[in-house]
Amino acid sequence: MGGVEERGFLRGSDRTGQECAAGSAPRPACLAAVPRGALAAPPAMPHFTVVPVEDKHRAEYDSVEGLSWVDYREPSSAPAASDSYDTVSSDGHGNHKENSPFLNSSEASKGGDYYDKNLALFEEELDIRPKVSSLLGKLVNYTNLTQGVKEHEEAESTDGSKKKVSKSPSMGTLMGVYLPCMQNIFGVILFLRLTWMVGMAGVLQSFLIVLLCCCCTMLTTISMSAIATNGVVPAGGSYFMISRSLGPEFGGAVGLCFYLGTTFAGAMYILGAIEILLTYIVPQAAIFHPSGAHDASSAMLNNMRVYGTVFLILMAVVVFVGVKYVNKFASLFLACVVISILSIYAGAIKSIFDPPEFPICMLGNRTLSRDQFDVCAKTVVKDNITVASKLWELFCHSTNLTTENCDEYFLMNNVSEVAGIPGAASGILKDNLWSNYLEKGEILEKAHHPSIDVAGQKNNLHLYVLSDIATSFMVLVGIFFPSVTGIMAGSNRSGDLKDAQKSIPVGTILAIVTTSLVYFSCVLLFGACIEGVVLRDKFGDAVNKNLVVGTLSWPSPWVIVIGSFFSTCGAGLQSLTGAPRLLQAIAKDNIIPFLWVFGHGKANGEPTWALLLTALIAELGILIASLDMVAPILSMFFLMCYLFVNLACAVQTLLRTPNWRPRFKYYHWALSFLGMSICLALMFISSWYYALVAMLIAGMIYKYIEYQGAEKEWGDGIRGLSLSAARYALLRLEEGPPHTKNWRPQLLVLLKLDEDLHVKYPRLLTFASQLKAGKGLTIIGSVIQGNFLETYGEAQAAEQTIKNMMEIEKVKGFCQVVVANKVREGIAHLIQSCGLGGMKHNTVVLGWPYGWRQSEDPRSWKTFIGTVRCTTAAHLALLVPKNVSFYPSNHERYNEGNIDVWWIVHDGGMLMLLPFLLKQHKVWRKCKMRIFTVAQMDDNSIQMKKDLATFLYQLRIEAEVEVVEMHNSDISAYTYERTLMMEQRSQMLRQMRLTKTEREREAQLVKDRHSIARLESLYSDEEDEGDSVPENIQMTWTKEKCDAEKRNRGSAVGTFRDLISIKPNQSNVRRMHTAVKLNEVIVNRSHDARLVLLNMPGPPKNTDGDENYMEFLEVLTEGLERVLLVRGGGREVITIYS
């Protein structure tokens, strides 16, 4: 209990409680120590109170894993305390109970649930790491709100009385998934185009088309079921599945594709309804009538446009006024579909023993359009007189039996009647097995029917049944595919399902199996019961303008006509209801900024603006006016959506992400890839140009979201895929160092921050971006001095500042901020540990320590030289831009000028490579490159120039070459004087620091007598960077110490006098001579250069000469505006070989 005593928790009256806890006190005393009411009161169940998050640290943990912040403590029944988070637990009878006898009064006011005796080790973290019981209680009460619900609900009333009690989801598999999917899958194509498809493609190829499309949707459903059962399903269907699995870019692209598909589906359903209305129900309602025999199709298209627009407006108004009416009538529309399908089966069974009477009229083997005449004969007998029939009049243009103007084909061939519906027992199936594709305008002919093939008159073509479009297997796939879409209907209403994870897979798969069986059986029944030419007759011209599928139905063709009309109207309403909501969901996610306006709607959340846009896009589909043209368009968008659902499942399965744990177990990545392949194949089979357009639209949306959209982190699979690819690539890179041909500078840029954590020299970043031009690795590193635990927040802020500056300077790379007790240690850590595997830096960019001469504090230049030594030890290249403030910004352009390279010693070819890389950037592109090398007296300068030109030619680098001869001259008085000044200054500063250090040492010895070890590091770098000692020092003096101090001061004064008579070191004089001479030559030749690159000499091995080294570098670069000091890493970085 020592820890408790130290915290001051024990009071005199609590001693018994401590003994009870230890087991040493007697039982009665322990019972007496328990507070009154604590035994009688049952343990109160914890309540969960949602509280506003105000504290900064609390906010950091808000909405982790999509869960809002919850206070797990018990609500207070006492008056509110000053801290809104402190609560007092109650026993339920108004009596407040004391939580623990071991807590003082201030901590006893906090809930017992919060400071549980069994969880004392964790009590300080319970606000951010709740107890398991509290967390489970919250998860059980989770409601099916969409992920990102906080973003969606911008202003929710906090008044409890205004909040509606949300209904618990109650729909089961049958009503919630199976029937809605059935209603969405069955549609206009089944009634208007399936018979025509069977007639054109034949039964076998029709089976193949249905099989392909149904396999595609079945495999997609398996993938969708895996995604839908991987966690709590958000209400939002395919868009939420894909966006949360593949990321906002794919989610937005596919979400918009799905939206466009649903919108065009609405247009297709409206066109289907108009076709049924004007062709089969009230043909006399047509506004436009054909003026001639050949413009019937254009008149029909115009009628479709007018009526389609009217229907669209009416439906949009219905959806706007009340969606609830659409939902109420959904079951009625489904009933129409079911009754229509049942009537087809009933008619097929009846046709076995009593086929319906629908004779078709044939002229030779050509099918005649029955709506223009009543009697199928050339002549008729009236009052025992043979007269010309209506058919004769049409072909011969006369009422008498003259043959002068007759169509030759009409004269040569007989007219006959054939049963349009021979029945299932007739054996017609074998004739309908094979395909019979037609070109546009071709006459429908019955094979093996007697006929004499002669050319007829072209102006009589309208009397025959003609093919209105060219058909092929590919065309039919595109037209049929919309009849298998609608598999997302269950997942779209997942928020209303009692058990979405069970209902969605079971209901959707059952719906697909049911609809597939219906399609297969209908293909077989149509082929077995209906004559081939009738099947190929799209609009029923051969059977008196009856709907072809209606001729088979029982008890009347009107059952299917009326049923299909209402079902297509209902499907159109459903599409116009669902599409705006999908657009609203995308807009509210704010991943596509220009769509934000469509996220708003009426007060009750109805998407008004989204509905308006949906109606406008649907109008485009209606203006196309052809069902056969609109169907492939929406096929593309649905296939794109299904393709990405399969991709999402495959990616998650192959990556084996830890969160991928679907309850639906019957999936496999191979099935997903097969589904994806079928989707892609169907896209290009049905219409390759529509497929390319759909992909282009999706690609444009993807790139737009990538560059402009709001950044979201949804834990998507593409991020996991990127991680896997990065890991694979890094492991491959680890195999060995890069070849010289692949070497490029991978930069570690060491930035200095000021007191306000702003970047001190942002032009270092500019230079890095110009050197890299977005290629390779760039790491921006910085060091903050201090303790990591105390300055973590500061480091985060510094990192964000650097990232913002990187964005401004267009530097593509990574940022790393290190907290260290000493700056030099932090830099050493960065140099050693930055990068990962093969993606490590090989070049360090270091700023020049400006003002090092004026500063008494040597730490800045000592850190600089220490970094130079570190990079040399690590075999890294080093770049030191001097006067970096004068370097050009990314917006400047040099239209002329030179980049001068002074190649004094060879250290791997860095000096050659860097100007070449800089010239790739637009700032330096027009600069010319000049290379200077230095020749001594015994060198052949002419041969050197030739050799250098040849070398550059082999390197494929264009540059002017100059050899500068440096004569052996005597050391000048200026050099001698410069060296002397340098050494005097160095000695003086050393004496000043020594005096100061001795005073500090005395103070430190008084402060801590155990710091003998510190004396050993008196002149070390650590002492320079050590903690500062207070200025006001109080020392205890003895007589000996007083005498010693007087002697020290006397010797210090003597030392300052000796500075005047100092003689410079000969080695330093020689070095200064080199620096002065080289500087003279460089300034003479390169004073007007845009940039001068120069070999950087290494620091001396003896650390005593560090300050002199800084002086040499200053002398070497004096009088030059922009200098880049370059030090190689000890390996070749450029090669003459390809």
Side-chain angles (χ1 to χ4, degrees), residues 81-219:
S82 59
D83 182 3
S84 61
Y85 295 108
D86 286 346
T87 54
V88 181
S89 56
S90 170
D91 61 359
H93 302 285
N95 301 318
H96 305 300
K97 60 182 181 182
E98 186 177 344
N99 296 286
S100 169
F102 301 105
L103 299 177
N104 62 19
S105 58
S106 65
E107 293 200 327
S109 65
K110 299 185 179 179
D113 182 35
Y114 203 66
Y115 286 95
D116 195 314
K117 280 184 288 187
N118 295 328
L119 296 176
L121 277 174
F122 304 95
E123 63 187 19
E124 292 183 358
E125 294 185 315
L126 281 176
D127 55 343
I128 59 172
R129 297 178 185 183
K131 284 167 51 179
V132 173
S133 59
S134 305
L135 180 67
L136 291 176
K138 178 167 183 272
L139 289 174
V140 167
N141 295 326
Y142 175 78
T143 56
N144 286 85
L145 294 171
T146 58
Q147 290 186 21
V149 73
K150 291 200 297 181
E151 300 167 22
H152 290 191
E153 297 177 3
E154 293 170 1
E156 188 177 350
S157 172
T158 52
D159 186 1
S161 61
K162 290 183 182 178
K163 287 187 179 179
K164 293 181 181 178
V165 179
S166 59
K167 288 185 189 175
S168 60
S170 58
M171 297 182 82
T173 305
L174 181 70
M175 293 301 293
V177 182
Y178 180 73
L179 292 179
C181 281
M182 290 269 287
Q183 183 185 355
N184 277 267
I185 293 170
F186 284 135
V188 64
I189 302 293
L190 170 63
F191 303 116
L192 293 185
R193 294 291 183 269
L194 191 58
T195 52
W196 173 72
M197 186 187 87
V198 173
M200 290 293 181
V203 172
L204 295 180
Q205 287 193 22
S206 297
F207 269 138
L208 182 59
I209 291 171
V210 175
L211 182 67
L212 266 176
C213 296
C214 291
C215 280
C216 174
T217 52
M218 178 60 84
L219 291 170

Side-chain angles (χ1 to χ4, degrees), residues 739-754:
H739 190 273
T740 307
K741 287 188 287 188
N742 298 327
W743 194 94
R744 65 166 66 242
Q746 317 285 16
L747 301 183
L748 169 62
V749 183
L750 297 173
L751 281 187
K752 190 172 183 181
L753 304 177
D754 60 17

Side-chain angles (χ1 to χ4, degrees), residues 648-667:
C649 180
V651 165
Q652 301 271 43
T653 309
L654 286 173
L655 290 178
R656 296 176 184 169
T657 48
N659 193 48
W660 181 245
R661 303 184 297 276
R663 289 186 181 279
F664 181 80
K665 300 297 181 188
Y666 307 101
Y667 69 93

Side-chain angles (χ1 to χ4, degrees), residues 818-856:
V818 168
V819 178
N821 288 328
K822 293 167 188 171
V823 174
R824 203 177 314 164
E825 285 180 6
I827 291 174
H829 293 159
L830 282 173
I831 289 171
Q832 291 177 74
S833 61
C834 273
L836 184 64
M839 281 293 280
K840 288 184 76 72
H841 56 277
N842 55 27
T843 307
V844 177
V845 179
L846 180 63
W848 180 262
Y850 301 101
W852 65 273
R853 281 173 171 161
Q854 290 75 27
S855 172
E856 285 187 18

Side-chain angles (χ1 to χ4, degrees), residues 245-510:
S245 297
L246 292 180
E249 293 89 359
F250 277 111
V254 179
L256 279 182
C257 282
F258 193 54
Y259 163 73
L260 290 171
T262 311
T263 305
F264 275 105
M268 185 189 76
Y269 289 129
I270 291 171
L271 289 173
I274 302 302
E275 185 178 310
I276 295 167
L277 180 73
L278 294 182
T279 310
Y280 308 113
I281 300 178
V282 276
Q284 58 272 24
I287 299 170
F288 299 94
H289 298 281
S291 54
H294 303 292
D295 60 350
S297 60
S298 61
M300 183 63 181
L301 292 178
N302 288 330
N303 285 320
M304 300 273 272
R305 290 183 182 110
V306 172
Y307 276 100
T309 305
V310 172
F311 263 54
L312 177 63
I313 293 168
L314 288 174
M315 287 184 177
V317 168
V318 169
V319 172
F320 178 75
V321 169
V323 159
K324 57 186 177 184
Y325 301 116
V326 178
N327 294 331
K328 281 181 180 176
F329 284 110
S331 53
L332 174 65
F333 297 139
L334 179 61
C336 291
V337 175
V338 173
I339 291 168
S340 301
I341 292 170
L342 289 176
S343 74
I344 294 172
Y345 286 115
I349 293 168
K350 178 179 173 291
S351 73
I352 297 172
F353 49 85
D354 184 16
E357 287 290 329
F358 281 101
I360 54 172
C361 191
M362 307 291 296
L363 176 61
N365 65 351
R366 297 180 179 179
T367 312
L368 294 171
S369 180
R370 196 65 188 261
D371 62 328
Q372 302 186 45
F373 58 91
D374 48 0
V375 179
C376 183
K378 290 186 179 181
T379 58
V380 289
V381 178
K382 278 189 182 178
D383 301 329
N384 294 324
I385 301 169
T386 303
V387 294
S389 66
K390 178 70 174 171
L391 198 58
W392 186 284
E393 291 178 19
L394 291 169
F395 276 97
C396 296
H397 311 292
S398 68
T399 52
N400 53 26
L401 294 173
T402 57
T403 60
E404 294 153 4
N405 299 321
C406 278
D407 187 302
E408 191 179 351
Y409 188 86
F410 177 73
L411 290 175
M412 299 293 290
N413 287 281
N414 294 324
V415 174
S416 58
E417 273 194 335
V418 178
I421 314 290
S426 64
I428 195 76
L429 178 63
K430 65 178 183 295
D431 294 334
N432 292 331
L433 281 177
W434 314 109
S435 62
N436 197 341
Y437 296 117
L438 299 174
E439 293 299 318
K440 183 177 180 179
E442 209 172 321
I443 300 170
L444 268 62
E445 296 178 349
K446 179 173 169 57
H448 312 302
H449 204 66
S451 121
I452 297 167
D453 193 11
V454 240
Q457 295 176 4
K458 286 189 177 179
N459 58 354
N460 289 329
L461 283 176
H462 67 283
L463 300 173
Y464 300 108
V465 180
L466 305 174
S467 170
D468 66 328
I469 62 168
T471 52
S472 66
F473 181 81
M474 298 180 179
V475 169
L476 295 181
V477 168
I479 291 173
F480 177 74
F481 188 79
S483 62
V484 296
T485 60
I487 58 173
M488 300 288 183
S491 62
N492 285 348
R493 58 180 68 208
S494 55
D496 303 326
L497 299 173
K498 193 186 299 179
D499 184 1
Q501 296 192 351
K502 177 187 171 188
S503 297
I504 288 175
V506 174
T508 311
I509 290 172
L510 281 177

Side-chain angles (χ1 to χ4, degrees), residues 578-596:
R581 275 162 180 69
L582 182 57
L583 182 63
Q584 187 182 37
I586 297 169
K588 283 190 173 179
D589 262 344
N590 198 29
I591 57 171
I592 304 175
F594 69 80
L595 289 181
W596 68 270

Side-chain angles (χ1 to χ4, degrees), residues 55-77:
D55 185 66
K56 179 181 176 184
H57 299 293
R58 292 168 186 266
E60 290 173 3
Y61 296 92
D62 193 9
S63 68
V64 176
E65 289 292 327
L67 303 176
S68 302
W69 181 268
V70 170
D71 183 10
Y72 294 91
R73 288 164 282 183
E74 298 182 3
S76 170
S77 56

